[in-house]
C-alpha cells in the first residue's frame, strides 16, 4: 500500500530556515499536503501542492515537489519559536478522499 | 464560519464499555472523515462519508468499530467492547467534496479516548 516517510526530529535556531523532508510511494498522488500540529491540538492545514507543480510559495513557506523522486519538502523561512510543532506530510491516495500521513517531524526552535 | 467540532474532548472509559464520539463538520461540507492517531504517530484513516453513505470504510480495524452519518451532517463513531489498545486521539475532518482540490480536509480538535 501507499507509504509516507518523514524524519522524526529537526532542531533549528530562531531566525534560521527549516527544511522538513518527506518521501512517498504513491505514483498517482494528485495533491500533497502539509499540516501542523501543536501539543494537544488538532491538525492545522498549512499548505498543499498539486502534483503537476514543482514549487509553491506562501509567505514564509515554500513547498518543493520532485515527482520523479517522490520527494516533498517544506521550507520555513525565518523560523520562529511559535513554529515549534509537529509537521505532517500527507498524500491524497488514488482511492478517493482518504489521506495517508507520515509519522510527523517534530520541529524544535531554540532562541 | 465555525470549524469542525468534536465532542467530548476527552473520554475515559473502562475496558469492555461502549463509547460514542461525535463530529460536527463545517456547514456545507459533504465529505466527512474519521482518523485515529496513536501517540507519536501520524493519523491513520478509518472511514469516510460522502453524504450519508460510507464511501470507504477500509480503515476500520474490526467489527467493534462502526460509524454513521444519518442526515449527511453530524457523524458518530461507535466503539463496542472497548479495549485498552483503542486508546488514542480520534480526529474528524470534513471537506467540501471528496476528490480534487475541494477535498482539502479541515480537522477538528479531536477526542482523546482513554480505555482503562
Amino acid at each position: 500500500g501507499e507509504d509516507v516517510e518523514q524524519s522524526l526530529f529537526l532542531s533549528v535556531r530562531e531566525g534560521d530556515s527549516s527544511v522538513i523532508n518527506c518521501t512517498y510511494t504513491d505514483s498517482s498522488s494528485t495533491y500533497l499536503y502539509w499540516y501542523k500540529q501543536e501539543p494537544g491540538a488538532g491538525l492545522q492545514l498549512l499548505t498543499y501542492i498539486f502534483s503537476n507543480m514543482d514549487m509553491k510559495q506562501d509567505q514564509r513557506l515554500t513547498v518543493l515537489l520532485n515527482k520523479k523522486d517522490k520527494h516533498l519538502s517544506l521550507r520555513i523561512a525565518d523560523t520562529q519559536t511559535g513554529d515549534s510543532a509537529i509537521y505532517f506530510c500527507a498524500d491524497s491516495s488514488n482511492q478517493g478522499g482518504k489521506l495517508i500521513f507520515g509519522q510527523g517531524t517534530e520541529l524544535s526552535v531554540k532562541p | 464560519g465555525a470549524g469542525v467540532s468534536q465532542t467530548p474532548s476527552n473520554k475515559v472509559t473502562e475496558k469492555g464499555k461502549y463509547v460514542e464520539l461525535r463530529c460536527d463538520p463545517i456547514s456545507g461540507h459533504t465529505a466527512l472523515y474519521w482518523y485515529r492517531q496513536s501517540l507519536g504517530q501520524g493519523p491513520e484513516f478509518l472511514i469516510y462519508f460522502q453524504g450519508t453513505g460510507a464511501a470507504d470504510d477500509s480503515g476500520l480495524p474490526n467489527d467493534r468499530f462502526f460509524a454513521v452519518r444519518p442526515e449527511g451532517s453530524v457523524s458518530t463513531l461507535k466503539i463496542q467492547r472497548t479495549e485498552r489498545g483503542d486508546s488514542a486521539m480520534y480526529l474528524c475532518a470534513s471537506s467540501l467534496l471528496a476528490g480534487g482540490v475541494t477535498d482539502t480536509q479541515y480537522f477538528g480538535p479531536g477526542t482523546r479516548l482513554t480505555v482503562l
Side-chain angles (χ1 to χ4, degrees), chain A residues 8 30-31 33 35 37 40-45 48 88 92 95-104, chain B residues 33 35 37 40-43 45 48 56 58 89 91 98-101 103-110:
Chain A
L8 296 182
T30 51
Y31 290 92
Y33 298 84
Y35 284 87
Q37 188 174 42
L43 294 166
Q44 175 194 351
L45 176 68
Y48 63 87
F88 291 95
S92 62
Q95 298 172 31
K98 73 179 182 183
L99 294 177
I100 309 297
F101 284 86
Q103 63 268 60
Chain B
Y33 311 79
Y35 294 83
Q37 186 178 23
Q41 301 295 317
F45 170 78
Y48 95 88
D56 182 353
S58 62
M89 177 75 88
L91 296 168
V101 70
D103 78 355
T104 300
Q105 295 178 29
Y106 297 91
F107 282 78

Side-chain angles (χ1 to χ4, degrees), chain A residues 8-79:
Chain A
L8 296 182
F9 299 101
L10 177 65
S11 180
V12 300
R13 290 276 178 202
E14 193 173 22
D16 287 350
S17 291
S18 308
V19 179
I20 301 170
N21 294 299
C22 170
T23 57
Y24 60 96
T25 59
D26 183 2
S27 57
S28 61
S29 297
T30 51
Y31 290 92
L32 294 132
Y33 298 84
W34 285 103
Y35 284 87
K36 176 183 179 182
Q37 188 174 42
E38 293 179 277
L43 294 166
Q44 175 194 351
L45 176 68
L46 286 179
T47 188
Y48 63 87
I49 188 166
F50 186 49
S51 59
N52 69 353
M53 297 168 67
D54 299 323
M55 185 180 88
K56 180 179 180 181
Q57 187 147 4
D58 184 359
Q59 300 182 341
R60 291 191 297 123
L61 305 179
T62 302
V63 179
L64 294 178
L65 175 60
N66 181 329
K67 200 172 178 186
K68 174 175 167 289
D69 294 339
K70 297 180 188 167
H71 182 268
L72 182 74
S73 67
L74 174 70
R75 179 177 180 269
I76 306 172
D78 186 26
T79 314

Side-chain angles (χ1 to χ4, degrees), chain B residues 3-23:
Chain B
V4 178
S5 62
Q6 292 186 245
T7 53
S9 55
N10 279 285
K11 177 71 178 177
V12 180
T13 191
E14 293 179 343
K15 181 175 178 296
K17 299 287 189 185
Y18 167 83
V19 296
E20 290 190 351
L21 311 179
R22 176 187 166 113
C23 173

